[in-house]
Amino acid sequence: MIDLHAHVLPGVDDGPKTLEDTLAVVRQATTDGTTIIVSVAHANDGHFDVSRAQYEKAFSAASTALAAASIGVKLIPAMEVRLGPRLAQDFAEGKFLAIGNTGYFCVELPPNDFPAYTLDALFELSLEKLRILLIHPERNRGLRKRPELADRLLRMEVLGVASGGSLLGQFGPEVEAAAWQLIEMGLIQAVASDGHSVSKRPLRLSAYEPVIARRYGEAVSEAMLHTTPQQVLEGLPVELAPHERIGWRRFFAGR
Amino acid sequence: MPLDLTQMLDPKLVVLTAPRSVAAEQYRALRTNLEFMSVGGALERIMITSATPGAGKSLTAGNLALALAQASKNTLLVDADLRRPMIHHLFGNANLSGLTTALTRPDEWEKYVQRGPIANLSIMTSGPIPPNPSELLSSVTMISLAGQLSQTYDIVVFDTPPVVSFTDAVALSQTMDGVLLVVRAGHTSRKSDIKGKERLSQVNARVLGVVLNDVQMQDEAYSYYYGYGEKKS
């Protein structure tokens, strides 16, 4: 499996504190069947402002330690960038990292509102030849209040990735309901662990497979956990098709 | 890995994929008609639209552009349908930048023109989709870009969104020399097609004519005539 979004670098943000912690969370992911991890760090969320230099240092420390411990996983560098009015300029000046060389760029909205400049800022980023990967849109309160904004993001071909914990109700019933709704609209096309630690927010993608399959069928869970993440890593566009909830009859017949 | 262009082209681009078909012949006839019409005033910027979605306007734009290029006209096909851009899908082009990029960086618009599958055809895909397509398409920058494009090319064909659903095409028609309205047999409704035509006439757009798309051919003599020399399938 490919984890499109997890915090595994030591001592840079709210992910693992030490290199030992890094090894522990990544080991957990590989045991679960994850082979590739897009390793993000908060670049500018106000609590953690990880610079490129800090990021690269932590990334190479983690990669070396993983190799030394012979943990067979591939880390792909990326930053999780909080939306701001001048992201495109900052990107052009080399402040942020996209996901490896895929051309996809991780953006997260502030949790409590959907700023008026959001769509313009995302458009400016896409003018830099970037495709937008919107991280856990279900956790944005503005989007939950006004689903028509999700429709506008959809038209701009913004690709949403849910945090697996949202689907399990870890962030409350409202966030969970929003996640399902955004999947049904087509904005969310993939799920990542958004893992931070071994116990509280683990890197355990397999836990989300059954909940998605139960609601939408196995083809959709396959797409959300395997095919779509693979397309992202290959830098290919992803079709934002809505997903339909399977009927109860079909659900029982399929068993 | 080398790219095989014919494999990436949509087979419905019949002017190239089935040059001897009836449909391809009709697109060439459309080209000829346009040439005759340009006697009454230069046709350097032509806009293709429809009343409602699904009429086949992108295919018409693509095939017409191919037919024009084949007649040695230096042609540019622009995807100005920022609601549902299709040209890059039809021609297998990348679409990370295009018209919208050119509109935000007008001094370097040449950088956002891609080569088409045949000589004389260049393509400008839509580029990333903006939050406000109609604003961008009715901007002063769009007017001056359209001017620059027609200085560089013999003819520029614009694919635009349906005219009843969105104001984009109505706004854009003001910078055009002529407009072609695509209707599809058994698909678009007469009422909305007439409404589409009215929308354009209200702003004094020069509606050149209507392209009737997707006609089921039943007349044997007719198809025999166009299919002459080709084995019937």
Side-chain angles (χ1 to χ4, degrees):
Chain A
M1 282 180 291
I2 298 166
D3 196 338
L4 278 181
H5 183 81
H7 298 254
V8 299
L9 299 187
V12 286
D13 60 5
D14 50 350
K17 293 220 161 37
T18 64
L19 213 43
E20 284 73 48
D21 297 340
T22 296
L23 294 182
V25 294
V26 174
R27 206 171 265 132
Q28 189 185 33
T30 52
T31 314
D32 190 52
T34 298
T35 49
I36 302 176
I37 299 173
V38 174
S39 149
V40 298
H42 291 292
N44 60 341
D45 78 350
H47 300 290
F48 303 101
D49 299 318
V50 182
S51 72
R52 245 182 107 147
Q54 281 172 297
Y55 181 94
E56 273 151 14
K57 201 172 149 212
F59 186 86
S60 73
S63 306
T64 314
L66 286 168
S70 16
I71 300 177
V73 73
K74 188 176 174 192
L75 291 191
I76 295 181
M79 283 180 174
E80 177 173 4
V81 179
R82 175 69 64 94
L83 181 87
R86 42 166 287 137
L87 284 191
Q89 282 145 284
D90 289 344
F91 175 80
E93 286 162 16
K95 207 171 146 190
F96 302 131
L97 294 168
I99 303 180
N101 45 19
T102 62
Y104 273 93
F105 188 75
C106 296
V107 178
E108 70 164 343
L109 299 172
N112 291 321
D113 68 330
F114 192 98
Y117 58 77
T118 303
L119 300 176
D120 287 322
L122 295 179
F123 176 56
E124 280 167 26
L125 271 175
S126 60
L127 289 173
E128 298 294 325
K129 296 193 167 195
L130 293 171
R131 297 189 206 275
I132 311 296
L133 201 66
L134 193 62
I135 301 304
H136 48 64
E138 73 279 8
R139 290 175 59 189
N140 176 266
R141 197 190 300 265
L143 212 49
R144 287 206 300 275
K145 274 198 197 145
R146 297 173 55 197
E148 75 273 13
L149 292 172
D151 194 52
R152 301 202 63 188
L153 290 170
L154 207 61
R155 281 166 208 243
M156 288 173 64
E157 300 176 335
V158 169
L159 174 63
V161 177
S163 293
S166 305
L167 304 183
L168 302 181
Q170 236 179 51
F171 302 99
E174 267 184 50
V175 173
E176 186 191 333
W180 299 127
Q181 191 188 2
L182 294 176
I183 289 173
E184 280 149 38
M185 285 180 78
L187 183 67
I188 291 178
Q189 293 288 340
V191 178
S193 74
D194 197 8
H196 284 67
S197 59
V198 171
S199 53
K200 264 179 102 179
R201 293 171 74 180
L203 279 74
R204 214 164 32 211
L205 281 177
S206 68
Y208 314 126
E209 202 145 14
V211 285
I212 302 168
R214 199 170 61 207
R215 245 178 131 94
Y216 306 108
E218 268 161 26
V220 175
S221 69
E222 169 78 18
M224 294 189 82
L225 286 155
H226 300 269
T227 332
T228 303
Q230 181 67 41
Q231 275 174 288
V232 170
L233 291 193
E234 286 172 18
L236 299 171
V238 173
E239 199 202 338
L240 301 174
H243 293 304
E244 206 176 310
R245 206 173 163 178
I246 53 174
W248 288 106
R249 184 171 301 185
R250 226 179 97 200
F251 166 48
F252 283 115
R255 294 261 124 169
Chain B
M1 205 168 65
L3 298 174
D4 181 1
L5 269 177
T6 51
Q7 267 187 13
M8 298 178 61
L9 280 182
D10 191 298
K12 293 198 202 84
L13 290 171
V14 288
V15 170
L16 214 56
T17 57
R20 297 212 285 184
S21 62
V22 181
E25 183 52 37
Q26 294 298 328
Y27 286 116
R28 288 190 291 269
L30 176 60
R31 172 191 70 201
T32 311
N33 289 344
L34 287 175
E35 278 164 9
F36 278 116
M37 279 183 178
S38 62
V39 175
L43 287 178
E44 288 171 352
R45 281 169 284 186
I46 297 178
M47 189 181 103
I48 317 288
T49 190
S50 60
T52 45
K57 60 183 181 47
S58 302
L59 266 179
T60 305
N63 276 306
L64 175 62
L66 283 167
L68 287 162
Q70 280 178 345
S72 304
K73 298 256 189 227
N74 190 11
T75 309
L76 175 68
L77 174 60
V78 179
D79 196 345
D81 184 349
L82 303 180
R83 307 289 172 166
R84 196 160 168 261
M86 288 297 293
I87 297 298
H88 64 286
H89 290 305
L90 293 178
F91 285 87
N93 287 99
N95 190 28
L96 281 172
S97 49
L99 174 63
T100 55
T101 328
L103 285 171
T104 44
R105 297 160 195 182
D107 350 320
E108 45 180 49
W109 65 265
E110 285 108 327
K111 278 168 69 179
Y112 310 111
V113 175
Q114 304 180 45
R115 274 177 52 191
I118 56 171
N120 289 320
L121 179 59
S122 303
I123 294 175
M124 187 184 265
T125 60
S126 70
I129 299 178
N132 49 352
S134 48
E135 247 172 72
L136 208 56
L137 289 180
S138 56
S139 64
V140 181
T141 323
M142 181 68 218
I143 297 171
S144 77
L145 179 67
Q148 276 175 296
L149 295 179
S150 52
Q151 269 169 28
T152 311
Y153 297 90
D154 295 337
I155 189 155
V156 188
V157 178
F158 291 82
D159 184 18
T160 60
V163 77
V164 173
S165 335
F166 304 106
T167 56
D168 307 20
V170 178
L172 203 58
S173 70
Q174 299 303 293
T175 42
M176 297 293 142
D177 298 323
V179 179
L180 282 176
L181 195 66
V182 179
V183 304
R184 183 169 161 192
H187 180 93
T188 53
S189 85
R190 181 182 303 238
K191 206 173 146 195
S192 60
D193 287 335
I194 291 172
K195 197 168 172 193
K197 159 81 169 60
E198 277 170 0
R199 285 272 163 94
L200 292 162
S201 304
Q202 272 164 11
V203 294
N204 295 319
R206 182 177 166 200
V207 180
L208 300 166
V210 169
V211 178
L212 178 59
N213 192 20
D214 206 10
V215 181
Q216 297 302 312
M217 297 292 286
Q218 272 155 2
D219 188 334
E220 279 293 314
Y222 202 53
S223 58
Y224 176 76
Y225 175 75
Y226 280 107
Y228 185 75
E230 200 171 12
K231 232 180 170 177
K232 264 190 146 183
S233 55

mmCIF file with all atom_site columns, all heavy atoms in Angstrom, chain B residues 47-66:
data_model
loop_
_atom_site.group_PDB
_atom_site.id
_atom_site.type_symbol
_atom_site.label_atom_id
_atom_site.label_alt_id
_atom_site.label_comp_id
_atom_site.label_asym_id
_atom_site.label_entity_id
_atom_site.label_seq_id
_atom_site.pdbx_PDB_ins_code
_atom_site.Cartn_x
_atom_site.Cartn_y
_atom_site.Cartn_z
_atom_site.occupancy
_atom_site.B_iso_or_equiv
_atom_site.pdbx_formal_charge
_atom_site.auth_seq_id
_atom_site.auth_comp_id
_atom_site.auth_asym_id
_atom_site.auth_atom_id
_atom_site.pdbx_PDB_model_num
ATOM 1   N N   . MET B 1 47 ? -15.451 31.021 -33.241 1.00 0.00 ? 47 MET B N   1
ATOM 2   C CA  . MET B 1 47 ? -15.812 30.421 -31.975 1.00 0.00 ? 47 MET B CA  1
ATOM 3   C C   . MET B 1 47 ? -16.823 29.308 -32.216 1.00 0.00 ? 47 MET B C   1
ATOM 4   O O   . MET B 1 47 ? -17.761 29.483 -32.973 1.00 0.00 ? 47 MET B O   1
ATOM 5   C CB  . MET B 1 47 ? -16.435 31.513 -31.128 1.00 0.00 ? 47 MET B CB  1
ATOM 6   C CG  . MET B 1 47 ? -16.674 31.145 -29.724 1.00 0.00 ? 47 MET B CG  1
ATOM 7   S SD  . MET B 1 47 ? -17.452 32.563 -28.898 1.00 0.00 ? 47 MET B SD  1
ATOM 8   C CE  . MET B 1 47 ? -19.120 31.967 -28.875 1.00 0.00 ? 47 MET B CE  1
ATOM 9   N N   . ILE B 1 48 ? -16.600 28.158 -31.590 1.00 0.00 ? 48 ILE B N   1
ATOM 10  C CA  . ILE B 1 48 ? -17.538 27.053 -31.699 1.00 0.00 ? 48 ILE B CA  1
ATOM 11  C C   . ILE B 1 48 ? -18.251 26.928 -30.358 1.00 0.00 ? 48 ILE B C   1
ATOM 12  O O   . ILE B 1 48 ? -17.598 26.845 -29.311 1.00 0.00 ? 48 ILE B O   1
ATOM 13  C CB  . ILE B 1 48 ? -16.814 25.713 -31.989 1.00 0.00 ? 48 ILE B CB  1
ATOM 14  C CG1 . ILE B 1 48 ? -15.719 25.877 -33.024 1.00 0.00 ? 48 ILE B CG1 1
ATOM 15  C CG2 . ILE B 1 48 ? -17.820 24.631 -32.362 1.00 0.00 ? 48 ILE B CG2 1
ATOM 16  C CD1 . ILE B 1 48 ? -16.165 26.097 -34.416 1.00 0.00 ? 48 ILE B CD1 1
ATOM 17  N N   . THR B 1 49 ? -19.560 26.911 -30.398 1.00 0.00 ? 49 THR B N   1
ATOM 18  C CA  . THR B 1 49 ? -20.290 26.721 -29.140 1.00 0.00 ? 49 THR B CA  1
ATOM 19  C C   . THR B 1 49 ? -21.553 25.917 -29.425 1.00 0.00 ? 49 THR B C   1
ATOM 20  O O   . THR B 1 49 ? -21.810 25.511 -30.566 1.00 0.00 ? 49 THR B O   1
ATOM 21  C CB  . THR B 1 49 ? -20.621 28.067 -28.466 1.00 0.00 ? 49 THR B CB  1
ATOM 22  O OG1 . THR B 1 49 ? -21.108 27.816 -27.151 1.00 0.00 ? 49 THR B OG1 1
ATOM 23  C CG2 . THR B 1 49 ? -21.654 28.870 -29.247 1.00 0.00 ? 49 THR B CG2 1
ATOM 24  N N   . SER B 1 50 ? -22.305 25.653 -28.363 1.00 0.00 ? 50 SER B N   1
ATOM 25  C CA  . SER B 1 50 ? -23.581 24.964 -28.517 1.00 0.00 ? 50 SER B CA  1
ATOM 26  C C   . SER B 1 50 ? -24.506 25.564 -27.484 1.00 0.00 ? 50 SER B C   1
ATOM 27  O O   . SER B 1 50 ? -24.072 26.348 -26.638 1.00 0.00 ? 50 SER B O   1
ATOM 28  C CB  . SER B 1 50 ? -23.411 23.464 -28.281 1.00 0.00 ? 50 SER B CB  1
ATOM 29  O OG  . SER B 1 50 ? -22.923 23.237 -26.979 1.00 0.00 ? 50 SER B OG  1
ATOM 30  N N   . ALA B 1 51 ? -25.777 25.216 -27.548 1.00 0.00 ? 51 ALA B N   1
ATOM 31  C CA  . ALA B 1 51 ? -26.714 25.758 -26.564 1.00 0.00 ? 51 ALA B CA  1
ATOM 32  C C   . ALA B 1 51 ? -26.505 25.064 -25.226 1.00 0.00 ? 51 ALA B C   1
ATOM 33  O O   . ALA B 1 51 ? -26.358 25.695 -24.191 1.00 0.00 ? 51 ALA B O   1
ATOM 34  C CB  . ALA B 1 51 ? -28.141 25.582 -27.051 1.00 0.00 ? 51 ALA B CB  1
ATOM 35  N N   . THR B 1 52 ? -26.478 23.741 -25.268 1.00 0.00 ? 52 THR B N   1
ATOM 36  C CA  . THR B 1 52 ? -26.381 22.941 -24.045 1.00 0.00 ? 52 THR B CA  1
ATOM 37  C C   . THR B 1 52 ? -25.224 21.943 -24.184 1.00 0.00 ? 52 THR B C   1
ATOM 38  O O   . THR B 1 52 ? -24.733 21.726 -25.297 1.00 0.00 ? 52 THR B O   1
ATOM 39  C CB  . THR B 1 52 ? -27.704 22.187 -23.811 1.00 0.00 ? 52 THR B CB  1
ATOM 40  O OG1 . THR B 1 52 ? -28.116 21.605 -25.061 1.00 0.00 ? 52 THR B OG1 1
ATOM 41  C CG2 . THR B 1 52 ? -28.798 23.116 -23.332 1.00 0.00 ? 52 THR B CG2 1
ATOM 42  N N   . PRO B 1 53 ? -24.788 21.331 -23.083 1.00 0.00 ? 53 PRO B N   1
ATOM 43  C CA  . PRO B 1 53 ? -23.663 20.391 -23.171 1.00 0.00 ? 53 PRO B CA  1
ATOM 44  C C   . PRO B 1 53 ? -24.012 19.135 -23.976 1.00 0.00 ? 53 PRO B C   1
ATOM 45  O O   . PRO B 1 53 ? -25.186 18.806 -24.140 1.00 0.00 ? 53 PRO B O   1
ATOM 46  C CB  . PRO B 1 53 ? -23.388 20.017 -21.714 1.00 0.00 ? 53 PRO B CB  1
ATOM 47  C CG  . PRO B 1 53 ? -24.134 20.994 -20.874 1.00 0.00 ? 53 PRO B CG  1
ATOM 48  C CD  . PRO B 1 53 ? -25.247 21.523 -21.697 1.00 0.00 ? 53 PRO B CD  1
ATOM 49  N N   . GLY B 1 54 ? -22.980 18.467 -24.478 1.00 0.00 ? 54 GLY B N   1
ATOM 50  C CA  . GLY B 1 54 ? -23.182 17.177 -25.130 1.00 0.00 ? 54 GLY B CA  1
ATOM 51  C C   . GLY B 1 54 ? -23.512 17.242 -26.605 1.00 0.00 ? 54 GLY B C   1
ATOM 52  O O   . GLY B 1 54 ? -23.836 16.235 -27.221 1.00 0.00 ? 54 GLY B O   1
ATOM 53  N N   . ALA B 1 55 ? -23.436 18.444 -27.205 1.00 0.00 ? 55 ALA B N   1
ATOM 54  C CA  . ALA B 1 55 ? -23.784 18.572 -28.621 1.00 0.00 ? 55 ALA B CA  1
ATOM 55  C C   . ALA B 1 55 ? -22.637 18.131 -29.523 1.00 0.00 ? 55 ALA B C   1
ATOM 56  O O   . ALA B 1 55 ? -22.845 17.813 -30.693 1.00 0.00 ? 55 ALA B O   1
ATOM 57  C CB  . ALA B 1 55 ? -24.187 20.002 -28.939 1.00 0.00 ? 55 ALA B CB  1
ATOM 58  N N   . GLY B 1 56 ? -21.432 18.082 -28.965 1.00 0.00 ? 56 GLY B N   1
ATOM 59  C CA  . GLY B 1 56 ? -20.277 17.675 -29.764 1.00 0.00 ? 56 GLY B CA  1
ATOM 60  C C   . GLY B 1 56 ? -19.487 18.851 -30.298 1.00 0.00 ? 56 GLY B C   1
ATOM 61  O O   . GLY B 1 56 ? -18.842 18.763 -31.338 1.00 0.00 ? 56 GLY B O   1
ATOM 62  N N   . LYS B 1 57 ? -19.487 19.963 -29.563 1.00 0.00 ? 57 LYS B N   1
ATOM 63  C CA  . LYS B 1 57 ? -18.792 21.145 -30.081 1.00 0.00 ? 57 LYS B CA  1
ATOM 64  C C   . LYS B 1 57 ? -17.266 20.998 -30.044 1.00 0.00 ? 57 LYS B C   1
ATOM 65  O O   . LYS B 1 57 ? -16.584 21.473 -30.939 1.00 0.00 ? 57 LYS B O   1
ATOM 66  C CB  . LYS B 1 57 ? -19.229 22.405 -29.347 1.00 0.00 ? 57 LYS B CB  1
ATOM 67  C CG  . LYS B 1 57 ? -18.935 22.325 -27.900 1.00 0.00 ? 57 LYS B CG  1
ATOM 68  C CD  . LYS B 1 57 ? -19.391 23.502 -27.110 1.00 0.00 ? 57 LYS B CD  1
ATOM 69  C CE  . LYS B 1 57 ? -18.990 23.286 -25.678 1.00 0.00 ? 57 LYS B CE  1
ATOM 70  N NZ  . LYS B 1 57 ? -17.594 22.836 -25.481 1.00 0.00 ? 57 LYS B NZ  1
ATOM 71  N N   . SER B 1 58 ? -16.742 20.291 -29.034 1.00 0.00 ? 58 SER B N   1
ATOM 72  C CA  . SER B 1 58 ? -15.288 20.123 -28.978 1.00 0.00 ? 58 SER B CA  1
ATOM 73  C C   . SER B 1 58 ? -14.800 19.284 -30.150 1.00 0.00 ? 58 SER B C   1
ATOM 74  O O   . SER B 1 58 ? -13.749 19.561 -30.734 1.00 0.00 ? 58 SER B O   1
ATOM 75  C CB  . SER B 1 58 ? -14.862 19.480 -27.659 1.00 0.00 ? 58 SER B CB  1
ATOM 76  O OG  . SER B 1 58 ? -15.303 20.270 -26.585 1.00 0.00 ? 58 SER B OG  1
ATOM 77  N N   . LEU B 1 59 ? -15.565 18.247 -30.477 1.00 0.00 ? 59 LEU B N   1
ATOM 78  C CA  . LEU B 1 59 ? -15.219 17.408 -31.624 1.00 0.00 ? 59 LEU B CA  1
ATOM 79  C C   . LEU B 1 59 ? -15.294 18.212 -32.920 1.00 0.00 ? 59 LEU B C   1
ATOM 80  O O   . LEU B 1 59 ? -14.443 18.077 -33.801 1.00 0.00 ? 59 LEU B O   1
ATOM 81  C CB  . LEU B 1 59 ? -16.193 16.245 -31.734 1.00 0.00 ? 59 LEU B CB  1
ATOM 82  C CG  . LEU B 1 59 ? -15.786 14.951 -31.073 1.00 0.00 ? 59 LEU B CG  1
ATOM 83  C CD1 . LEU B 1 59 ? -16.870 13.919 -31.262 1.00 0.00 ? 59 LEU B CD1 1
ATOM 84  C CD2 . LEU B 1 59 ? -14.473 14.455 -31.661 1.00 0.00 ? 59 LEU B CD2 1
ATOM 85  N N   . THR B 1 60 ? -16.325 19.060 -33.025 1.00 0.00 ? 60 THR B N   1
ATOM 86  C CA  . THR B 1 60 ? -16.445 19.901 -34.211 1.00 0.00 ? 60 THR B CA  1
ATOM 87  C C   . THR B 1 60 ? -15.254 20.839 -34.301 1.00 0.00 ? 60 THR B C   1
ATOM 88  O O   . THR B 1 60 ? -14.644 20.985 -35.365 1.00 0.00 ? 60 THR B O   1
ATOM 89  C CB  . THR B 1 60 ? -17.754 20.719 -34.151 1.00 0.00 ? 60 THR B CB  1
ATOM 90  O OG1 . THR B 1 60 ? -18.840 19.806 -33.964 1.00 0.00 ? 60 THR B OG1 1
ATOM 91  C CG2 . THR B 1 60 ? -17.962 21.516 -35.403 1.00 0.00 ? 60 THR B CG2 1
ATOM 92  N N   . ALA B 1 61 ? -14.901 21.451 -33.168 1.00 0.00 ? 61 ALA B N   1
ATOM 93  C CA  . ALA B 1 61 ? -13.759 22.371 -33.154 1.00 0.00 ? 61 ALA B CA  1
ATOM 94  C C   . ALA B 1 61 ? -12.480 21.640 -33.561 1.00 0.00 ? 61 ALA B C   1
ATOM 95  O O   . ALA B 1 61 ? -11.706 22.117 -34.396 1.00 0.00 ? 61 ALA B O   1
ATOM 96  C CB  . ALA B 1 61 ? -13.609 22.992 -31.766 1.00 0.00 ? 61 ALA B CB  1
ATOM 97  N N   . GLY B 1 62 ? -12.279 20.447 -32.999 1.00 0.00 ? 62 GLY B N   1
ATOM 98  C CA  . GLY B 1 62 ? -11.073 19.674 -33.285 1.00 0.00 ? 62 GLY B CA  1
ATOM 99  C C   . GLY B 1 62 ? -10.998 19.266 -34.746 1.00 0.00 ? 62 GLY B C   1
ATOM 100 O O   . GLY B 1 62 ? -9.962  19.439 -35.403 1.00 0.00 ? 62 GLY B O   1
ATOM 101 N N   . ASN B 1 63 ? -12.093 18.748 -35.274 1.00 0.00 ? 63 ASN B N   1
ATOM 102 C CA  . ASN B 1 63 ? -12.101 18.292 -36.668 1.00 0.00 ? 63 ASN B CA  1
ATOM 103 C C   . ASN B 1 63 ? -11.996 19.455 -37.649 1.00 0.00 ? 63 ASN B C   1
ATOM 104 O O   . ASN B 1 63 ? -11.291 19.365 -38.659 1.00 0.00 ? 63 ASN B O   1
ATOM 105 C CB  . ASN B 1 63 ? -13.364 17.480 -36.945 1.00 0.00 ? 63 ASN B CB  1
ATOM 106 C CG  . ASN B 1 63 ? -13.216 16.030 -36.524 1.00 0.00 ? 63 ASN B CG  1
ATOM 107 O OD1 . ASN B 1 63 ? -12.274 15.354 -36.937 1.00 0.00 ? 63 ASN B OD1 1
ATOM 108 N ND2 . ASN B 1 63 ? -14.117 15.559 -35.683 1.00 0.00 ? 63 ASN B ND2 1
ATOM 109 N N   . LEU B 1 64 ? -12.666 20.557 -37.330 1.00 0.00 ? 64 LEU B N   1
ATOM 110 C CA  . LEU B 1 64 ? -12.578 21.725 -38.203 1.00 0.00 ? 64 LEU B CA  1
ATOM 111 C C   . LEU B 1 64 ? -11.138 22.251 -38.226 1.00 0.00 ? 64 LEU B C   1
ATOM 112 O O   . LEU B 1 64 ? -10.597 22.576 -39.293 1.00 0.00 ? 64 LEU B O   1
ATOM 113 C CB  . LEU B 1 64 ? -13.541 22.815 -37.732 1.00 0.00 ? 64 LEU B CB  1
ATOM 114 C CG  . LEU B 1 64 ? -13.462 24.132 -38.497 1.00 0.00 ? 64 LEU B CG  1
ATOM 115 C CD1 . LEU B 1 64 ? -13.822 23.932 -39.965 1.00 0.00 ? 64 LEU B CD1 1
ATOM 116 C CD2 . LEU B 1 64 ? -14.373 25.201 -37.870 1.00 0.00 ? 64 LEU B CD2 1
ATOM 117 N N   . ALA B 1 65 ? -10.508 22.309 -37.049 1.00 0.00 ? 65 ALA B N   1
ATOM 118 C CA  . ALA B 1 65 ? -9.123  22.791 -36.980 1.00 0.00 ? 65 ALA B CA  1
ATOM 119 C C   . ALA B 1 65 ? -8.203  21.896 -37.806 1.00 0.00 ? 65 ALA B C   1
ATOM 120 O O   . ALA B 1 65 ? -7.320  22.378 -38.526 1.00 0.00 ? 65 ALA B O   1
ATOM 121 C CB  . ALA B 1 65 ? -8.662  22.856 -35.525 1.00 0.00 ? 65 ALA B CB  1
ATOM 122 N N   . LEU B 1 66 ? -8.433  20.582 -37.738 1.00 0.00 ? 66 LEU B N   1
ATOM 123 C CA  . LEU B 1 66 ? -7.626  19.643 -38.530 1.00 0.00 ? 66 LEU B CA  1
ATOM 124 C C   . LEU B 1 66 ? -7.828  19.887 -40.027 1.00 0.00 ? 66 LEU B C   1
ATOM 125 O O   . LEU B 1 66 ? -6.872  19.925 -40.804 1.00 0.00 ? 66 LEU B O   1
ATOM 126 C CB  . LEU B 1 66 ? -8.006  18.195 -38.192 1.00 0.00 ? 66 LEU B CB  1
ATOM 127 C CG  . LEU B 1 66 ? -7.465  17.634 -36.873 1.00 0.00 ? 66 LEU B CG  1
ATOM 128 C CD1 . LEU B 1 66 ? -8.183  16.331 -36.522 1.00 0.00 ? 66 LEU B CD1 1
ATOM 129 C CD2 . LEU B 1 66 ? -5.958  17.396 -36.949 1.00 0.00 ? 66 LEU B CD2 1
#
